[in-house]
Amino acid sequence: MKKLILRKRTLFSVIMTIIAVIITNQFWLIFYPMTIELDIKSNSKLSEKCYIEANVSKKNNTEFKVIKIQGQVVNLTPPLYAHVKLNVKRSRFPKRVRFLIYNISENSDICIKNITMKNGKYKLPVEKFKVENAYSQSKNGELNLKPKFNTVILTYPEKINVRTSITFDFKVFIIILILTYLISFKLSDYVADFNTVKGKSKIDILFLVIFFIFLFVPMSHISSEKISQNENRTLAVWKSFINNDGTINYNFGNNISSWFNDRFNLRQFFLDCYDKRMFLTENWRTKDVIKGKNGWLFYGGNDSVESYTNSVLFKDSELIRIKSYLDEIDKACKTKNKKFYFVIAPDKHKIYPEYYPDNIKPLKNQSKVFQLIDYLQKNTEVKIIYPKEMLLKHKNEYYLYWKTDTHWNSIGAYYGYLYLMDTIKKDYKNINVYKLHNIVKEKYPGDLYKLTPSIIRKEDTTLYSKENINLKNYCIIPKEEKGDINCNNPNSDISLLVLGDSFSTAMVPYLAETFGKSKFKRSKFTSKEISVKDLDSADVFILESVERNLSALASAHLEAQ
């Protein structure tokens, strides 16, 4: 009998050890980064600094939606080749690869050769690469490029049969193996003794019963809601282990974790308990909302706090990529005799820092936005509109931002528009500038109010000034919230195209009164949002971004078609 019990315990321990070893494979199996190398040189007489980025996808297609990225700033000093070595981490089984080369001047002739992967063991023939935004010619193992725009894209069209190198850490493996077996055997021994020894403590039995009951409480009821009203967001949805196309969902673990965390039983109860505790603190802060002074709320996401404290500045590679993107738009517009204006909407805390919490203070004198503006002014001819001084000048006359919202209001958007028009009038002297003349009062709850836990919400009763202007006079309002807005004002023959976020939407009424045919597109911060063909549709192109989202421009580029 004892031998049978010992065998069962041993079998249980072996099974648990095998499971633990499989789960902990990331500790004893070391996957090295995928190395990607190439040689590049510029045939122009002037040296220049570019940024080369490798995108590696585990999908066997050309979409590159879920990718691993690695980049490097490269100094091109003619006539020498610069050797580029990129180590792409967590890319175990890549199937496709492409390169994005930013900040290449149109006057440069670029030569690329020796494109290899996995420390030179896997060579990619340069003649097979699909080239975008440049004229190309391959000869003698070299790919010669004549750029059309500042960003050149090289895509390898075939599946890559290469795997990252793997190292087996024997010591860690043995430690995990032994510890897991001993713990499993001891646990089985304890459970067996618990069932067989007489006079076992009732407190122990009660504790274990209660413990296992609590384990099952969270899964006893799973919420079927699609949207959380209290959090003002869409809840995670169930994603199967097998995708619709028959492939395996390798993110199934993370998917089910997000799904369960959003829907387990008593979740709202625990959130309410946390909110009640936070209500007792003077300077509370949630994931998205920061409590300010005198009823003011500030946005806490998208690096907005870092933007205020100046604790994080742009990297050189980000500056190069943003400059490349804006410069190629500016040059494309000039080629077509169009005008381009880059608008940066100031963050709310830059206009009302006096209401920001005292425990959050700026660390440096140089801010991220002025770092970018200074870099662009020195290296491009892009017209930059940052209306901070205009807003500071008028903030004592009106509220320019809502207290409980992250955006500027109607009057704040007007002064942003007015500052923009001061620059546009230099190019279009006879253009009509809208003037405030029909101001009314309004209340507005605000998006930050909705993001605040219900237990600590405080309604904003402030009356805000608003220009009473009817957008429907010239515009067709889309049914979907973030759809394109198209306007047609017969009083002007200057056409307009705007690509921006929700801050640009607030300027739509004033711009629609100023320009003739105009189109307003909401930015989705994807890599390809505007093409050269889009620029043909208007005389003026405005790209707008709120200050805290400027980093997203580093991943964008102008599409050739």
Side-chain angles (χ1 to χ4, degrees), residues 36 51 53-71 88-100 102 153-155 160 251 321 525-528 554-557:
I36 303 177
Y51 181 79
E53 178 182 282
N55 296 169
V56 176
S57 174
K58 67 180 181 181
K59 300 288 186 181
N60 187 23
N61 55 47
T62 57
E63 294 179 358
F64 287 90
K65 289 185 177 180
V66 181
I67 57 177
K68 303 298 182 184
I69 299 173
Q70 186 63 41
V88 186
K89 298 179 180 179
R90 298 184 301 278
S91 178
R92 300 179 184 179
F93 310 108
K95 292 185 175 66
R96 291 298 185 104
V97 65
R98 73 175 178 186
F99 298 95
L100 285 80
Y102 296 90
I153 306 172
L154 308 178
T155 304
I160 300 170
N251 292 319
R321 283 181 285 171
F525 300 106
T526 57
S527 60
K528 296 181 180 180
S555 62
H557 58 269

Side-chain angles (χ1 to χ4, degrees), residues 239-286:
K239 294 184 179 180
S240 301
F241 180 68
I242 303 298
N243 297 318
N244 293 332
D245 58 0
T247 59
I248 297 176
N249 176 14
Y250 291 102
N251 292 319
F252 178 73
N254 292 330
N255 296 151
I256 196 172
S257 176
S258 300
W259 173 83
F260 184 75
N261 288 339
D262 276 359
R263 300 173 182 278
F264 66 84
N265 190 25
L266 298 180
R267 178 178 184 274
Q268 192 56 50
F269 168 76
F270 289 114
L271 288 176
D272 290 341
C273 290
Y274 173 78
D275 294 340
K276 289 176 182 178
R277 182 196 66 80
M278 188 170 60
F279 180 68
L280 300 176
T281 63
E282 182 178 354
N283 296 315
W284 56 260
R285 174 179 175 181
T286 69

Side-chain angles (χ1 to χ4, degrees), residues 24 56 67 93 102 206 219 250 332 366 378 418 433 462 493:
T24 60
V56 176
I67 57 177
F93 310 108
Y102 296 90
L206 181 63
M219 64 183 72
Y250 291 102
Q366 186 183 31
K378 290 179 179 178
L418 204 62
V433 179
T462 306
D493 57 359

